[in-house]
Amino acid sequence: MAFLPPPQDRLRQFRELLGLSDTPEANPLTRWADIFLPRTAELADKVEGFVRSRAQLRIILENQPTGKLNANWRSWFGILFTSGVGEDFMAHVWKSGQAHVIHNIDHRYVTLAYNIARAFLHEIAVTALPLEERTTALTALDRAVDFSMLVETDAFVTYATQCELEVIQGISHQVRNPVSVIGGAARKLLRLHPEDGPEREAAGTILAEAQRLERMAKNVNAYMDITTQQASFRRAELDAVLDRALEKLAAASTLPLAPLAREIDPAAAVLSGDPMELCVLFACLLDNAFQYADRHDPRVAVKAYPAQAQGGFATVVITNNGIRFDQSKTGQAFSPFHSTQPTATGFGLPMARVIASKYFGNVTLAPLEDEGTRCVVTLPLFAG
Ligand code: HEM
């Protein structure tokens, strides 16, 4: 996988939060360059000493061209005391986090290496700087090391997650073709065996499972897309979103959908989010509500009003009659692949929650007193 470009805005935010500036004049470390820079090789050798002391790190070091890693550590140290924590520094450290993933380095050891560097910097500060400058210097050194660790960790986590996502998406993509071939063959068998019998029954089971796997592969892709795409806070009218969610359900579901009772307070009629993603969220929740509603007289209702405890948010409550939700199963209900329905893929509730949390909202389930379940969704209101 290609290297990801540094997310400049996020990294600048980290820098601001740590009270660091990127202009060389304002970078306090340059003041002490004469004291620290002559010790560059010593710092790199300390980190190398640690790396050589751990067998799994030593192998990585020895597989690199001689002196390459030592040069990396020297350059990190050098930039800190010359140009400071500007764009070049961020790009350099950001790239290192990704290089650490590519070389399969245990991240805990990178953290330890940074702490060895920090201890060495402290030692120089307390032994070589005048007493009155020590506190300022120690604070500045700590901030610079903290910033490096933050940027490196961000790059490490982002890149590792992206690599995993690509593998998962690749698997689900690879599964879809063979599964649709299996489904086609099962349909052919059903045509060849029009009479009830064991062959027809077996072909029916194969077809149902192939269809379930096909849906699962699609859901995995949709779930990954939703997790990776940036949130987009746009105007989304709840009524229209519910209409589209119902159309989506009617096209996919075999269940007879009863009419949906709606009561939407005008003050909660316009939500903020990507209308397509909110449509997926409500399609998942309404599907669930209809699936578990009373079979003979299914009733599902939606009520929306401004959230009382959370300014700027709407509460959307979906209730049904029928099976009461078992609250001890909350963890399972929101985990992918878990479902009490044999033909379901177990992605509905996790998908709904992932979308809600993307917009800083939430989805919860609770049993109603006599029968049925109450699902509470919080989502931001559109501010205009
Ligand atoms: C103080 C902690 C560390 C710092 C400041 C650091 C810094 C860097 C930098 C600046 C790069 C080059 C990124 C680029 O291509 O521009 C890099 C790459 C790399 N680092 Fe680290 N690193 C640290 C810890 C470690 C540890 C503990 C290991 C374990 C062996 C390690 C192994 C590597 C490897 C294998 C590469 C890729 C080699 C290359 O392409 O240069 N690093 N690191």
Side-chain angles (χ1 to χ4, degrees), residues 115-194:
N115 278 314
I116 284 161
R118 186 198 298 272
F120 181 69
L121 291 166
H122 279 199
E123 191 190 308
I124 301 177
V126 294
T127 51
L129 292 183
L131 191 59
E132 62 280 10
E133 289 183 26
R134 281 185 205 162
T135 313
T136 327
L138 286 172
T139 309
L141 291 168
D142 274 343
R143 284 178 179 170
V145 176
D146 287 343
F147 183 51
S148 305
M149 289 170 80
L150 213 53
V151 174
E152 193 278 338
T153 306
D154 190 324
F156 191 99
V157 173
T158 309
Y159 195 69
T161 311
Q162 193 61 40
C163 293
E164 279 170 16
L165 284 180
E166 282 197 2
V167 171
I168 296 169
Q169 274 171 327
I171 294 172
S172 99
H173 188 75
Q174 294 298 324
V175 159
R176 275 171 82 170
N177 272 349
V179 159
S180 68
V181 171
I182 294 169
R187 276 195 195 89
K188 203 167 169 185
L189 281 173
L190 283 173
R191 281 197 300 276
L192 288 173
H193 297 279

Side-chain angles (χ1 to χ4, degrees), residues 47 50-51 57 60-61 64 68-69 72-73 75-76 92-93 95-96 99-100 103 105 109-110 113-114 117:
V47 177
F50 163 69
V51 167
L57 299 183
I60 299 167
L61 177 100
Q64 289 293 312
K68 192 173 186 198
L69 297 191
N72 285 340
W73 299 320
S75 76
W76 168 75
H92 200 51
V93 178
K95 203 165 165 210
S96 79
H100 296 154
H103 292 274
I105 296 163
Y109 286 127
V110 176
Y114 269 113

Side-chain angles (χ1 to χ4, degrees), residues 102 123 159 179 204 230 260 274-275 344 379:
I102 292 169
E123 191 190 308
Y159 195 69
V179 159
Q230 287 278 331
L260 178 72
D274 176 342
L379 284 169

